[in-house]
Each structure stands twice: as C-alpha cells, then as structure tokens.
C-alpha cells in the first residue's frame, strides 16, 4: 500500500451527535485536494454511540477507519495512539467537534513542505480569531493554568499550547509520540517540549476558532 500524504487523526469522546458532520466536511475538503489521505477516528472509551456512528460513515468514506478503545484513557493517550497508528507523511490531529476547521491546512501544509517539522495552531497570535468564546470563567482558569505551566516548562513563546489543531511530519510524530507518557491534561505541553528537546523545528499559525460545548 502506498504511503498516504496526509493522516487526519480525530480523537473522540461523547461525539455521537456531531462527529458525522465533521467527518463529511473533512472528507469533502480532502477529496478536493490532489494528494492521498486517511482519516482515523480514535474513540476514547466513549459511553455513547460515537464508535458505531463513525463506523457507519466509513461505509461512504473509503479512507476512514475507526479505532475503538473499550476503556477511557484520556485525550493524550488517544492522540499518541493515533500519531503512531497513522501512516501518513504528515499527521494532523484536531478536535471532533469541528471548533477548528480542516481548511486551515491550506496555510499549514506549505510550512511543512518547506521543511518545518511541526505546525501548532494558536488562538492567541496575530491573525487568530475566536468566533464563539468559552464561558468567561473557563477562559480565565485556562489562562492561569497556561501561564503557570509555560513558566515551569519555559514555553514562553507559546501563548496557546492547548489549541487542538496540530500537524507533525512523520519523523517528528513518531519520535515524539513514542516518548510521550501524559494521558490526560498536559499532553500538549509535553508534545511541544519534546519537539524542542529532540531538535525539531516548530512554527505557530493563527486559527479561526469557535467554541463548541
């Protein structure tokens, strides 16, 4: 089997009501491109019908496969699992709720083709736009936690480490994911820290983001 150009990894938990829309939008966008791709849904022990619905969509999306974990491990675990399971030259993971559109790839992919190892989406740099905000108390708590961990880990130049839209080269994805150990909150910090410690080049790109409850 020929290596796909792009792997799209979608971690999913309790997304039965909306994952179908996101899968169709993702496949429609990718069908319009002149490269090969695969879409991998990693279900994190979800108690609803996320896995069943995703498998049903695989009947009409030929490049889609579903990995259904019977136990809940955490987003970090399934992102790591997806990065290692994927076969693509480039490996993107983004949230199942569609808060950041797949169309951002138009701006992200050229940076990878120019030799960058990883491109990190950001809602806090120039050019970013938050269409629908989280509740104010959640934004404040998120800001406080983000500042604390950036201070501890020295990630000063990353005002938004938590944005769920990140793409890595095959080499970077396999090197980083094979070393990641954080299963739940904090895996984004770990991923970025490992990228730097292993000598990979990282760039940030602004995203348009819409909060989904």
């Amino acid at each position: 089997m020929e290596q796909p150009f792009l792997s799209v990894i979608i971690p999913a938990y309790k997304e039965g009501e909306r994952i179908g829309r996101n899968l169709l939008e993702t496949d429609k966008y990718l069908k319009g491109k002149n490269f090969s791709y695969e879409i991998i849904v990693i279900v994190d022990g979800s108690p609803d019908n996320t896995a069943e619905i995703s498998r049903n969509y695989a009947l009409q999306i030929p490049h889609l496969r579903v990995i259904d974990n019977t136990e809940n491990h955490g987003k970090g675990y399934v992102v790591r699992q997806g990065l290692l399971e994927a076969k693509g030259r480039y490996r993107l993971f983004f949230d199942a709720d569609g808060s950041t559109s797949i169309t951002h790839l138009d701006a992200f992919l050229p940076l990878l083709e120019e030799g960058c190892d990883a491109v990190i989406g950001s809602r806090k740099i120039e050019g970013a736009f938050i269409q629908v905000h989280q509740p104010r108390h959640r934004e404040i708590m998120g800001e406080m936690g983000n500042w604390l961990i950036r201070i501890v880990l020295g990630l000063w130049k990353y005002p938004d480490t938590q944005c769920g839209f990140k793409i890595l080269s095959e080499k970077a994805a396999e090197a980083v994911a094979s070393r990641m150990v954080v299963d739940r909150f904090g895996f984004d910090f770990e991923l970025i820290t490992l990228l730097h410690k292993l000598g990979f080049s990282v760039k940030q790109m602004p995203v348009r983001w819409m909060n989904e409850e």
Side-chain angles (χ1 to χ4, degrees):
M1 176 180 172
E2 183 181 350
Q3 180 185 31
F5 178 81
L6 176 71
S7 295
V8 176
I9 299 151
I10 305 178
Y13 180 75
K14 292 184 178 179
E15 295 291 349
E17 293 186 3
R18 57 189 174 190
I19 195 167
R21 180 185 72 238
N22 197 13
L23 288 173
L24 290 175
E25 290 175 356
T26 298
D27 187 54
K28 181 180 178 181
Y29 167 84
L30 293 172
K31 278 180 178 175
K33 301 300 178 183
N34 61 353
F35 54 70
S36 57
Y37 63 92
E38 62 175 352
I39 303 170
I40 308 172
V41 175
I42 314 277
V43 183
D44 189 17
S46 186
D48 70 352
N49 57 353
T50 298
E52 180 184 357
I53 288 175
S54 299
R55 282 193 290 264
N56 286 339
Y57 276 93
L59 299 175
Q60 55 183 304
I61 301 175
H63 309 289
L64 170 65
R65 56 191 171 113
V66 180
I67 298 174
D68 185 13
N69 291 289
T70 56
E71 297 180 10
N72 177 261
H73 296 283
K75 186 177 179 182
Y77 179 98
V78 293
V79 166
R80 183 168 75 237
Q81 183 182 18
L83 289 172
L84 292 173
E85 183 72 24
K87 306 299 182 186
R89 177 179 170 190
Y90 300 120
R91 301 176 189 185
L92 164 74
F93 66 89
F94 75 120
D95 294 334
D97 61 13
S99 55
T100 308
S101 171
I102 186 72
T103 58
H104 285 83
L105 273 177
D106 289 343
F108 281 51
L109 278 175
L111 297 177
L112 292 159
E113 289 286 78
E114 291 168 6
C116 185
D117 297 304
V119 185
I120 307 299
S122 177
R123 298 160 291 186
K124 300 287 182 65
I125 62 176
E126 185 177 353
F129 178 73
I130 299 180
Q131 186 172 342
V132 179
H133 285 259
Q134 292 179 316
R136 186 60 185 155
H137 70 279
R138 289 186 62 185
E139 288 192 343
I140 292 172
M141 292 297 291
E143 287 281 354
M144 292 173 63
N146 194 38
W147 269 105
L148 178 62
I149 298 180
R150 285 169 65 201
I151 290 170
V152 172
L153 297 179
L155 298 176
W156 290 107
K157 67 178 183 178
Y158 293 95
D160 182 13
T161 55
Q162 303 299 107
C163 179
F165 196 96
K166 297 179 173 69
I167 184 167
L168 293 76
S169 67
E170 175 185 14
K171 183 177 180 181
E174 293 183 354
V176 168
S178 64
R179 291 168 169 83
M180 290 170 66
V181 297
V182 177
D183 288 344
R184 298 185 185 274
F185 176 79
F187 82 91
D188 294 277
F189 304 117
E190 181 186 38
L191 183 146
I192 296 171
T193 300
L194 283 169
L195 283 168
H196 283 287
K197 285 188 175 297
L198 295 171
F200 292 109
S201 57
V202 184
K203 290 187 178 180
Q204 300 175 79
M205 284 291 288
V207 299
R208 182 183 182 93
W209 190 79
M210 181 172 64
N211 178 59
E212 292 277 0
E213 287 299 328

